[in-house]
Amino acid sequence: MAKVADKPFFPKPFLSFLVLSIIFGFGITLSEAGFPKIKHYKWDVEYMFWSPDCVENIVMGINGEFPGPTIRANAGDIVVVELTNKLHTEGVVIHWHGILQRGTPWADGTASISQCAINPGETFTYRFVVDKAGTYFYHGHLGMQRSAGLYGSLIVDPPEGRSEPFHYDEEINLLLSDWWHQSVHKQEVGLSSKPMRWIGEPQSILINGKGQFDCSIAAKYNQGLKQCELSGKEKCAPFILHVQPKKTYRIRIASTTALASLNFAIGNHELLVVEADGNYVQPFVTSDIDIYSGESYSVLITTDQNPLENYWVSIGVRARLPKTPPGLTLLNYLPNSASKLPISPPPETPHWEDFDRSKNFTFRIFAAMGSPKPPVRYNRRLFLLNTQNRINGFMKWAINNVSLALPPTPYLAAMKMRLNTAFNQNPPPETFPLNYDINNPPPNPETTTGNGVYKFNMGETVDVILQNANMLNPNMSEIHPWHLHGHDFWVLGYGEGKFYAPEDEKKLNLKNPPLRNTVVIFPYGWTAIRFVADNPGVWAFHCHIEPHLHMGMGVVFAEGVHMVGMIPPKALACGSTALVKNYPRLP
Amino acid sequence: MAKVADKPFFPKPFLSFLVLSIIFGFGITLSEAGFPKIKHYKWDVEYMFWSPDCVENIVMGINGEFPGPTIRANAGDIVVVELTNKLHTEGVVIHWHGILQRGTPWADGTASISQCAINPGETFTYRFVVDKAGTYFYHGHLGMQRSAGLYGSLIVDPPEGRSEPFHYDEEINLLLSDWWHQSVHKQEVGLSSKPMRWIGEPQSILINGKGQFDCSIAAKYNQGLKQCELSGKEKCAPFILHVQPKKTYRIRIASTTALASLNFAIGNHELLVVEADGNYVQPFVTSDIDIYSGESYSVLITTDQNPLENYWVSIGVRARLPKTPPGLTLLNYLPNSASKLPISPPPETPHWEDFDRSKNFTFRIFAAMGSPKPPVRYNRRLFLLNTQNRINGFMKWAINNVSLALPPTPYLAAMKMRLNTAFNQNPPPETFPLNYDINNPPPNPETTTGNGVYKFNMGETVDVILQNANMLNPNMSEIHPWHLHGHDFWVLGYGEGKFYAPEDEKKLNLKNPPLRNTVVIFPYGWTAIRFVADNPGVWAFHCHIEPHLHMGMGVVFAEGVHMVGMIPPKALACGSTALVKNYPRLP
């Protein structure tokens, strides 16, 4: 229904795109994949009544589904999504999280950055290549529409005829999210109010869009909640992981939470981590994984436990005082009934404040052998200080004392068309004062909004040192998962306190740093990443916590915009770009 | 603050507009008013926390106010509103209800009709002449944003130096509305769901944005509700009408309800009706007035009652089984304390089903002497049948079996630019089958959506016979207040049953029919109106009940679009119009 056709040929308009892409050197992996297939989807986005956690609410769904339909393709395939906005008053865009959008920066799905939001009643066609195998997802990227439920999975298999570098019999896909009962519109108003009203902790953790709010499927271990009475057909009935004994399963786990950092564990089963954010990692065994918003992992499990029992899958909250019960479901060893509950309690989520444990896990992630290595030297280095601030009593987050306020005209078109009034032409500061004390609240918390862009020379190697700091209140510093659009980056290292180049530089891992698209900064710590600015376009880099981004916690990167091909006119139907005369439009 | 300046001169851009207007013959009443003043406002639209009826919610406010600021101008003045959309994800427009927009049809503020919705972060400047004195208001006209609280008053005084044709000492302005606790977004989803979920009756009636939900200021007459304990400073404290004894007050009353038909009465005081919808009427005395959504009245009262007492002002629901307590406030004879409650109960709202009483009131409204008379003959006559219908199980309202579904590209620009694919070029049917039985449910309730336009020759006289009918369920027919944009019309008459030309024609009033912009059709009845299609533009004509319009209860009229001047480019930044090459844009 949703998928219209798998067409193993190039339609004409796309041929010219391909030719352009080849001329410009944007790698479409033809060589690997032979002829790419076209995966064609037609989607309608609309609100609908739904009970994600057994409490009825409205969610932003796609084609009547929540989460949206799963996209599945082979690396090198072309994904085409004709997205129609059936909302009544809101614009919409969809970001394809982890897809690099080489040659198609206008398809990155970021309102105000890569395109105009799609207006109610209008259709925009996303068309892009899925470069490499991996576990990805998609989500809204306007206001807080991700929090409203606009997300789904995007799974890329290796090119046809190729296999993954590890063996498994079957796979199971889990998309994790958090859910509030208060409407996203109210949440947005609260965040923009003076004094700010914080959204609070989520009511529920959802596994593939399913959670249980006022009951538990493990009530006897969760005092205060009654046992859920679910037939399995309810929208909130848990997504059961049905497995056969004595097999190896790949479990794909992606987190599109608005806020929660999660921990994932399966009772009695070890996890062999093999993939992170669409990149293979050096396999390692762990009892549980931490997963931050914007990240994805693949783990292998072997169903070698007592086949007469079922086992808990438990997803708890980390890094914030958890008021949210863990998301629970079952690893159901067939042919056992899925209603047979495990004999022992669900795995306990590690203590929320045990950051050492989180770091231990994170520090074990290295690139798989044969992965691309980072350039040895950087050409440019940014130091980005993360601070919580105020502007006239409104609470904000700022980077180097600039809180991002997105302009109405999208950057990509504005830069290509040289609309110099569309945003501040002065780039934001590349660093922060040397003597800034990250261990105390900002001495002058007042900040300013800005919309300048960090511009890179095409092909240069960029290092970013993300520097965490104390928040407005003393003795508080939070986790922030930073996500980069249009690139994977190498995670060169993490450290405590303020990055001190002479010493910390030496500790950076240039040997086997993992490639990621999302990386966390720990409280009071720094994280160093490196990437090559080789993807013409304009790219968001931001904290993936939805309310933090909403409060300004992001920056905008750009490179090689002069090399960008013709932006589809429909991506320009707003702001100053809609008013420009000399751009190809309808004949 | 909101009002920037009263400038008694023409800025340069406006001069050319004026010249154009004069060339095209659009009447700016220079002769009457001398030099028009410019009333300049800068408005930000945003959601904010508010307690309209003592229950906190979010409302769509303007510059931190709810209802929005009152515009006050003299006839002939130019109103300029620079509207900035500070919503996060929603577009916005504002319609200036009752303002004719001669020469400025792009400023009528109807999304999909006169302009593109203003995107988040963008500013659109409304600039129009307020033609004639009267009691008007403004409101959102995208989705159900009027229900969300986007409205305010627009009061036009006679040209400077001229006075009204009746005397009064002071005036008081009342804007009436109804209020739901469920978010408008949920309401919209409910209306578009299968099966439909009706919004139900409002929780509260608001007077100038103030009502009381779970208490009453007249509790002793309203069993079940406790007495409100309000200091007067609360956002929901009643708007008190402070008056001096022995004076004459003009009370302006406008209704922007989403649903409710209202009845307005003041204990012990008769009302002298002098104005309806910005047109003078033959004055008549009444104990109370019915007021439908979209209507406005001015009544004169004389404060000749016992000056030691205060008196109730009561606003109750009519024409639907009222589950909503009346909106109440006080006529406070100074220097009495406003906390002194009247000695007798509030005036009782007439029984909701007593339509004869409503008709008696309505049939007493005639044009004041000296008002413009209608042309004696019509050139064109439309018969518009109002039916409740279904489309694949979704509930709709339809006109001549077409349920209006607005296109993403605004009609005005689409027609001017001849974008023939933007909407259906075939006009909808001008009549309905002669044998249609209005007293029974539609024999085939299945209908279709459409977006065709009724096109009139410039200057022709159009009659519309609005024909009410039975709804989907037997023995049900509802009131619908129809509002026409861009014109006043003469109300030639009302009748029971199906309009039968040979007989009913004779009963039409061509002598002193009132000019209005909104008129009601009674259950199972018809209403005949006449207007001259002499205002170049595209104009909505629709049921002013917000959910009914949302479900398709409207039509689109157009005339003289070839005579329309240059549409401001910012009104075109969406849909197909944004893609057109040959239209003036930025240099």
Side-chain angles (χ1 to χ4, degrees):
Chain A
M1 280 243 289
K3 199 169 79 180
V4 171
D6 290 4
K7 300 186 196 153
F9 61 90
F10 296 105
K12 266 187 189 167
F14 207 74
L15 263 181
S16 56
F17 160 79
L18 267 182
V19 169
L20 269 174
S21 303
I22 290 161
I23 290 171
F24 284 103
F26 308 145
I28 286 183
T29 54
L30 280 183
S31 52
E32 279 194 306
F35 278 103
K37 293 186 304 301
I38 293 177
K39 310 289 272 194
H40 199 140
Y41 301 84
K42 278 193 177 188
W43 286 359
D44 290 345
V45 174
E46 62 191 320
Y47 283 111
M48 54 193 192
F49 289 109
W50 206 266
S51 303
D53 61 353
C54 307
V55 176
E56 194 187 72
N57 215 315
I58 54 173
V59 304
M60 209 174 265
I62 297 175
N63 291 354
E65 296 179 43
F66 168 75
T70 294
I71 292 179
R72 186 121 204 173
N74 292 95
D77 283 353
I78 295 156
V79 170
V80 179
V81 178
E82 285 180 58
L83 190 77
T84 299
N85 178 357
K86 296 268 180 132
L87 307 171
H88 298 296
T89 54
E90 295 182 57
V92 78
V93 292
I94 288 187
H95 168 59
W96 317 93
H97 186 109
I99 305 301
L100 300 180
Q101 301 292 356
R102 289 188 177 273
T104 55
W106 49 76
D108 193 41
T110 42
S112 289
I113 301 176
S114 66
Q115 70 169 112
C116 294
I118 308 161
N119 283 322
E122 301 208 36
T123 300
F124 181 83
T125 302
Y126 290 97
R127 186 190 296 266
F128 53 87
V129 172
V130 289
D131 313 66
K132 67 186 198 306
T135 304
Y136 306 102
F137 54 102
Y138 61 83
H139 58 78
H141 216 293
L142 169 63
M144 288 176 44
Q145 291 184 341
R146 177 157 61 92
S147 292
L150 186 54
Y151 43 74
S153 291
L154 196 172
I155 307 297
V156 182
D157 292 305
E160 268 186 16
R162 295 236 193 162
S163 55
E164 297 280 15
F166 39 80
H167 163 79
Y168 53 95
D169 300 301
E170 301 286 345
E171 72 166 68
I172 294 169
N173 179 45
L174 303 180
L175 181 61
L176 311 181
S177 56
D178 44 8
W179 185 249
W180 280 255
H181 293 167
Q182 188 180 51
S183 81
V184 165
H185 301 98
K186 269 198 185 172
Q187 289 182 36
E188 287 173 346
V189 180
L191 295 172
S192 321
S193 288
K194 183 161 74 174
M196 180 195 72
R197 302 197 194 177
W198 178 240
I199 63 169
E201 297 303 310
Q203 271 69 60
S204 304
I205 302 298
L206 308 183
I207 305 170
N208 288 347
K210 294 152 182 290
Q212 299 81 38
F213 170 66
D214 53 6
C215 66
S216 169
I217 61 170
K220 77 171 179 176
Y221 306 110
N222 200 327
Q223 279 158 6
L225 283 177
K226 64 175 198 290
Q227 183 72 23
C228 298
E229 288 178 16
L230 296 167
S231 73
K233 287 179 184 160
E234 299 83 0
K235 291 194 161 53
C236 64
F239 176 89
I240 306 284
L241 288 68
H242 302 288
V243 294
Q244 303 281 353
K246 304 281 176 210
K247 289 194 181 273
T248 299
Y249 287 84
R250 176 185 192 165
I251 304 185
R252 298 178 185 268
I253 310 155
S255 172
T256 184
T257 55
L259 174 65
S261 302
L262 299 174
N263 179 271
F264 174 95
I266 303 180
N268 288 44
H269 290 74
E270 287 188 321
L271 313 174
L272 180 69
V273 182
V274 293
E275 180 219 342
D277 298 359
N279 293 288
Y280 301 122
V281 301
Q282 205 166 294
F284 66 99
V285 172
T286 177
S287 60
D288 57 274
I289 64 168
D290 278 348
I291 180 165
Y292 302 97
S293 178
E295 294 187 334
S296 69
Y297 289 99
S298 284
V299 299
L300 303 184
I301 65 164
T302 306
T303 49
D304 55 5
Q305 297 299 299
N306 180 352
L308 301 179
E309 301 297 339
N310 292 329
Y311 301 89
W312 291 116
V313 177
S314 176
I315 296 156
V317 174
R318 298 221 60 194
R320 303 181 69 90
L321 180 62
K323 295 181 184 165
T324 314
L328 290 175
T329 186
L330 288 180
L331 186 73
N332 167 224
Y333 272 55
L334 294 172
N336 298 337
S337 160
S339 62
K340 181 184 165 88
L341 293 186
I343 48 174
S344 40
E348 201 168 329
T349 304
H351 187 259
W352 72 274
E353 260 187 323
D354 187 353
F355 289 109
D356 286 342
R357 200 172 190 288
S358 296
K359 290 171 192 170
N360 277 340
F361 168 75
T362 303
F363 299 168
R364 293 179 68 192
I365 302 169
F366 297 105
M369 280 199 303
S371 299
K373 281 191 197 305
V376 182
R377 271 176 249 290
Y378 62 86
N379 305 108
R380 183 94 169 267
R381 179 177 272 177
L382 305 183
F383 295 87
L384 301 184
L385 176 68
N386 292 229
T387 51
Q388 194 183 31
N389 296 75
R390 288 208 186 86
I391 296 181
N392 302 323
F394 293 96
M395 196 168 286
K396 298 286 175 189
W397 286 88
I399 305 307
N400 292 352
N401 214 31
V402 178
S403 183
L404 180 63
L406 290 169
T409 301
Y411 288 102
L412 179 63
M415 291 181 76
K416 193 167 156 62
M417 297 178 181
R418 299 179 194 281
L419 305 175
N420 293 342
T421 58
F423 63 94
N424 187 343
Q425 296 298 300
N426 300 318
E430 303 224 345
T431 187
F432 55 94
L434 252 178
N435 61 352
Y436 187 89
D437 178 5
I438 65 152
N439 294 307
N440 281 297
N444 174 12
E446 195 72 7
T447 186
T448 52
T449 56
N451 61 22
V453 173
Y454 294 97
K455 291 177 201 160
F456 304 128
N457 295 323
M458 185 64 190
E460 75 181 338
T461 298
V462 179
D463 274 15
V464 178
I465 315 294
L466 286 161
Q467 179 65 60
N468 211 338
N470 200 98
M471 296 161 67
L472 284 173
N473 290 326
N475 301 317
M476 285 181 71
S477 181
E478 279 181 354
I479 286 244
H480 302 284
W482 277 79
H483 171 63
L484 178 58
H485 292 227
H487 308 78
D488 284 338
F489 50 73
W490 290 275
V491 182
L492 302 187
Y494 305 82
E496 308 285 326
K498 192 147 68 165
F499 183 83
Y500 179 59
E503 283 185 9
D504 291 327
E505 192 113 37
K506 298 175 204 149
K507 301 179 201 156
L508 300 182
N509 172 16
L510 298 178
K511 214 182 72 190
N512 59 355
L515 273 166
R516 309 279 315 237
N517 60 52
T518 303
V519 72
V520 76
I521 48 172
F522 289 106
Y524 299 108
W526 56 262
T527 298
I529 65 168
R530 178 167 294 180
F531 65 94
V532 180
D534 61 356
N535 191 3
V538 185
W539 309 107
F541 181 44
H542 62 89
C543 176
H544 210 258
I545 292 177
E546 187 95 317
H548 286 184
L549 172 58
H550 195 70
M551 295 161 85
M553 199 170 199
V555 294
V556 178
F557 290 167
E559 70 231 27
V561 174
H562 60 286
M563 300 168 72
V564 168
M566 187 189 140
I567 303 172
K570 276 199 163 184
L572 307 174
C574 71
S576 307
T577 51
L579 307 179
V580 170
K581 210 167 181 172
N582 297 314
Y583 197 80
R585 288 196 167 79
L586 290 180
Chain B
M1 281 248 289
K3 199 168 78 178
V4 171
D6 288 6
K7 299 182 195 152
F9 61 90
F10 296 104
K12 266 190 188 164
F14 207 72
L15 264 182
S16 57
F17 160 77
L18 267 182
V19 169
L20 269 174
S21 302
I22 290 160
I23 291 170
F24 284 102
F26 307 145
I28 286 180
T29 53
L30 280 185
S31 51
E32 278 195 306
F35 277 104
K37 292 188 305 301
I38 293 176
K39 310 289 270 190
H40 200 142
Y41 301 84
K42 277 193 176 189
W43 286 359
D44 289 346
V45 173
E46 61 191 320
Y47 282 111
M48 55 193 192
F49 289 109
W50 205 267
S51 304
D53 61 354
C54 307
V55 177
E56 193 185 73
N57 216 315
I58 54 173
V59 303
M60 209 174 266
I62 297 174
N63 290 355
E65 296 179 42
F66 169 75
T70 293
I71 292 180
R72 185 118 204 175
N74 292 96
D77 283 353
I78 294 155
V79 170
V80 179
V81 179
E82 285 182 57
L83 191 77
T84 299
N85 178 356
K86 296 267 178 132
L87 306 170
H88 299 296
T89 55
E90 295 183 55
V92 79
V93 291
I94 288 187
H95 169 58
W96 318 92
H97 186 109
I99 305 301
L100 300 179
Q101 302 291 356
R102 289 188 177 271
T104 54
W106 49 77
D108 193 42
T110 42
S112 289
I113 301 176
S114 65
Q115 70 169 115
C116 294
I118 308 162
N119 283 322
E122 301 208 36
T123 299
F124 181 82
T125 301
Y126 289 97
R127 187 190 295 267
F128 54 87
V129 172
V130 288
D131 312 66
K132 66 184 198 306
T135 303
Y136 306 102
F137 54 102
Y138 59 83
H139 59 78
H141 215 294
L142 169 64
M144 287 175 46
Q145 292 183 341
R146 176 158 60 93
S147 293
L150 186 55
Y151 43 74
S153 291
L154 197 174
I155 306 297
V156 182
D157 292 303
E160 269 185 15
R162 295 234 193 164
S163 57
E164 297 280 15
F166 39 80
H167 164 79
Y168 53 96
D169 300 302
E170 300 285 344
E171 73 167 67
I172 295 169
N173 178 45
L174 303 180
L175 181 61
L176 311 182
S177 57
D178 43 8
W179 185 249
W180 281 254
H181 293 167
Q182 189 179 52
S183 81
V184 165
H185 302 99
K186 268 199 186 171
Q187 289 182 35
E188 287 173 346
V189 180
L191 295 172
S192 320
S193 288
K194 184 162 73 174
M196 180 196 70
R197 301 197 194 176
W198 177 241
I199 62 168
E201 297 303 310
Q203 272 68 60
S204 305
I205 301 299
L206 308 183
I207 305 171
N208 288 346
K210 295 152 181 293
Q212 300 80 39
F213 171 66
D214 52 7
C215 67
S216 169
I217 60 169
K220 78 170 178 177
Y221 305 111
N222 200 327
Q223 279 157 7
L225 283 177
K226 65 174 196 289
Q227 184 71 23
C228 297
E229 289 177 17
L230 296 168
S231 73
K233 288 180 183 159
E234 299 82 0
K235 289 192 163 53
C236 65
F239 175 89
I240 307 284
L241 288 68
H242 302 288
V243 293
Q244 304 280 353
K246 306 281 177 206
K247 290 197 181 268
T248 299
Y249 287 85
R250 175 185 192 164
I251 305 184
R252 299 178 183 269
I253 310 155
S255 172
T256 184
T257 55
L259 174 63
S261 302
L262 300 175
N263 180 271
F264 174 95
I266 303 180
N268 288 44
H269 290 72
E270 286 189 322
L271 314 174
L272 180 69
V273 181
V274 293
E275 181 219 340
D277 298 0
N279 293 290
Y280 302 121
V281 300
Q282 205 166 297
F284 66 98
V285 172
T286 176
S287 59
D288 56 274
I289 64 168
D290 278 349
I291 180 165
Y292 302 97
S293 178
E295 293 187 334
S296 69
Y297 289 99
S298 284
V299 300
L300 304 185
I301 65 163
T302 306
T303 48
D304 54 5
Q305 296 300 299
N306 180 353
L308 301 178
E309 301 297 338
N310 293 328
Y311 301 89
W312 291 114
V313 177
S314 175
I315 297 156
V317 174
R318 298 221 59 195
R320 302 182 68 91
L321 181 62
K323 294 181 183 164
T324 314
L328 290 176
T329 187
L330 288 179
L331 186 72
N332 168 223
Y333 272 51
L334 294 172
N336 299 334
S337 159
S339 61
K340 179 183 166 82
L341 293 186
I343 48 173
S344 42
E348 201 168 327
T349 303
H351 188 260
W352 72 273
E353 260 186 323
D354 186 352
F355 289 109
D356 286 342
R357 202 174 189 287
S358 296
K359 289 171 192 169
N360 277 342
F361 169 74
T362 302
F363 298 168
R364 293 179 68 191
I365 302 170
F366 297 105
M369 278 200 302
S371 299
K373 283 192 193 306
V376 181
R377 272 175 246 293
Y378 62 86
N379 306 109
R380 184 95 169 266
R381 179 178 271 179
L382 306 182
F383 295 87
L384 300 184
L385 176 69
N386 291 230
T387 52
Q388 194 184 31
N389 296 76
R390 287 208 188 85
I391 297 180
N392 301 322
F394 294 96
M395 196 168 287
K396 298 286 177 191
W397 286 90
I399 305 307
N400 291 353
N401 214 30
V402 177
S403 183
L404 180 64
L406 290 170
T409 300
Y411 289 101
L412 179 64
M415 290 180 78
K416 192 166 155 62
M417 297 178 180
R418 300 177 192 281
L419 305 175
N420 293 341
T421 58
F423 63 94
N424 187 343
Q425 296 297 301
N426 300 318
E430 303 224 345
T431 187
F432 55 93
L434 252 179
N435 61 351
Y436 187 89
D437 178 4
I438 66 152
N439 294 306
N440 280 298
N444 174 12
E446 195 74 6
T447 186
T448 53
T449 56
N451 60 24
V453 173
Y454 294 98
K455 291 178 201 158
F456 304 129
N457 295 324
M458 186 63 191
E460 74 181 338
T461 298
V462 179
D463 273 16
V464 179
I465 315 295
L466 286 161
Q467 178 66 59
N468 211 340
N470 200 99
M471 296 162 68
L472 284 172
N473 289 328
N475 301 317
M476 286 182 70
S477 182
E478 279 181 354
I479 284 246
H480 302 285
W482 277 78
H483 170 63
L484 178 58
H485 293 228
H487 308 77
D488 285 337
F489 49 73
W490 291 274
V491 183
L492 303 186
Y494 305 82
E496 308 285 325
K498 192 149 67 166
F499 183 83
Y500 178 57
E503 283 185 10
D504 291 326
E505 192 112 35
K506 298 175 204 152
K507 301 180 202 156
L508 299 182
N509 172 14
L510 297 179
K511 214 182 73 190
N512 58 356
L515 272 167
R516 310 279 315 236
N517 60 54
T518 304
V519 72
V520 77
I521 47 172
F522 290 104
Y524 300 108
W526 55 262
T527 298
I529 66 168
R530 177 168 295 179
F531 65 94
V532 181
D534 60 357
N535 190 3
V538 184
W539 309 106
F541 181 44
H542 61 90
C543 176
H544 210 258
I545 292 177
E546 186 95 317
H548 286 183
L549 172 57
H550 196 71
M551 295 160 86
M553 199 169 199
V555 294
V556 179
F557 290 166
E559 69 231 27
V561 174
H562 60 288
M563 299 168 70
V564 168
M566 187 188 139
I567 303 172
K570 276 199 164 183
L572 307 173
C574 72
S576 307
T577 52
L579 307 178
V580 169
K581 211 170 182 170
N582 297 312
Y583 196 78
R585 288 196 168 77
L586 291 182

